[in-house]
């Protein structure tokens, strides 16, 4: 299987045709993840770095619970960082350090750390924003962490400029809530010719009494 397929969660479909996935900040127990697996789910992406600069310990616990369920057949487990840009926030590199160290200190194993780039408290200076992203990526690399970028055309255009391609070498998790589990409406931007994942729907009620989830698709 293509390694990038290890970023998703299967939901009632054959892996030979497509892989559907979810991400959520809702709390899930180990038995909950085992239930999700029995209902066709395959992967979990947990929030760790929060937009207020804090660490989501609930997300870390979810990752640990998901890892326990991996033994029972659940797929791999990833994490994401929603960076903080308010006054008093740590530097881009320090936010990555804080996030990765929190995971390591808790014994929470993860695959890719996705960097969430969406319109929320970013400054108006695109060059500064570009450097912030480059600094986050550089820190991930220096810590041996696999990195990916979560964003979409509109966010990218407003934050760093639609044609800035400084991190196009890394996989793209494309957020576009058009309700279509495909890449058909993707318009290239930021140096990406196509996404690796499409987050196509948000706030869907999850199985196994899990709270609201976002739906993702991978071919």
């Amino acid at each position: 299987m293509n390694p990038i397929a290890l970023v998703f969660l299967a939901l009632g479909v054959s892996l030979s045709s497509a892989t559907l996935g979810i991400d959520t900040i809702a709390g899930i127990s180990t038995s909950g993840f085992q239930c999700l697996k029995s209902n066709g789910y395959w992967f979990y992406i947990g929030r760790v770095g929060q937009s207020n600069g804090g660490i989501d310990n609930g997300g870390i616990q979810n990752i640990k619970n998901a890892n326990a369920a991996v033994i029972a057949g659940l797929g791999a487990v990833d994490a994401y960082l929603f960076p903080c840009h308010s006054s008093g926030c740590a530097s881009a590199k320090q936010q990555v350090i804080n996030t990765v160290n929190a995971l390591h200190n808790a014994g929470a194993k993860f695959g890719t750390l996705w960097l969430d780039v969406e319109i929320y408290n970013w400054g108006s200076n695109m060059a500064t924003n570009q450097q912030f992203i480059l600094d986050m990526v550089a820190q991930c690399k220096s810590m041996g962490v696999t990195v990916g970028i979560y964003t979409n055309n509109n966010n990218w255009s407003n934050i760093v400029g639609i044609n800035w391609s400084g991190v196009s070498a890394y996989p793209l998790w494309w957020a576009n809530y058009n309700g279509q589990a495909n890449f058909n409406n993707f318009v290239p931007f930021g140096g990406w010719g196509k996404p690796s994942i499409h987050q196509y729907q948000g706030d869907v009620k999850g199985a196994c009494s899990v709270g609201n989830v976002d739906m993702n698709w991978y071919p």
Side-chain angles (χ1 to χ4, degrees):
M1 181 180 292
N2 188 317
I4 198 64
L6 298 178
V7 185
F8 313 102
L9 174 69
L11 172 59
V13 296
S14 169
L15 288 176
S16 63
S17 58
T19 302
L20 294 178
I22 67 167
D23 62 273
T24 180
I25 62 174
I28 309 173
S29 64
T30 297
S31 60
F33 279 112
Q34 291 169 342
C35 175
L36 289 169
K37 169 60 175 62
S38 68
N39 279 271
Y41 290 83
W42 187 68
F43 187 84
Y44 169 73
I45 304 174
R47 182 182 68 179
V48 179
Q50 300 184 88
S51 60
N52 63 5
I55 296 297
D56 186 346
N57 291 310
I60 291 178
Q61 186 60 54
N62 278 351
I63 288 172
K64 294 176 71 174
N65 293 344
N67 278 320
V70 166
I71 300 173
L74 192 73
V77 183
D78 280 1
Y80 73 89
L81 164 60
F82 197 135
C84 177
H85 302 285
S86 301
S87 60
C89 292
S91 67
K93 291 187 176 183
Q94 190 61 49
Q95 289 186 48
V96 170
I97 292 171
N98 294 344
T99 299
V100 174
N101 283 347
L103 285 158
H104 287 168
N105 291 339
K109 298 179 180 179
F110 66 101
T112 295
L113 179 62
W114 295 92
L115 306 177
D116 191 327
V117 181
E118 59 181 290
I119 300 171
Y120 185 79
N121 286 342
W122 286 81
S124 59
N125 188 311
M126 290 186 178
T128 299
N129 295 340
Q130 292 168 9
Q131 190 60 53
F132 190 97
I133 295 170
L134 289 172
D135 287 347
M136 286 196 295
V137 168
Q139 187 60 44
C140 285
K141 293 176 64 178
S142 72
M143 299 179 80
V145 172
T146 301
V147 62
I149 306 296
Y150 170 96
T151 193
N152 63 22
N153 308 60
N154 182 58
N155 288 321
W156 205 248
S157 177
N158 281 277
I159 295 169
V160 296
I162 194 67
N163 294 318
W164 185 65
S165 59
V167 292
S168 60
Y170 304 97
L172 170 65
W173 182 2
W174 175 50
N176 186 307
Y177 288 178
N178 61 12
Q180 299 181 28
N182 55 51
F183 295 153
N184 292 351
N185 295 322
F186 178 75
V187 177
F189 71 97
W192 288 292
K194 66 176 182 179
S196 293
I197 320 173
H198 179 193
Q199 186 183 76
Y200 66 90
Q201 191 173 9
D203 294 330
V204 176
K205 182 63 177 178
C208 301
S209 299
V210 175
N212 289 350
V213 303
D214 297 328
M215 296 300 301
N216 304 279
W217 176 88
Y218 172 78

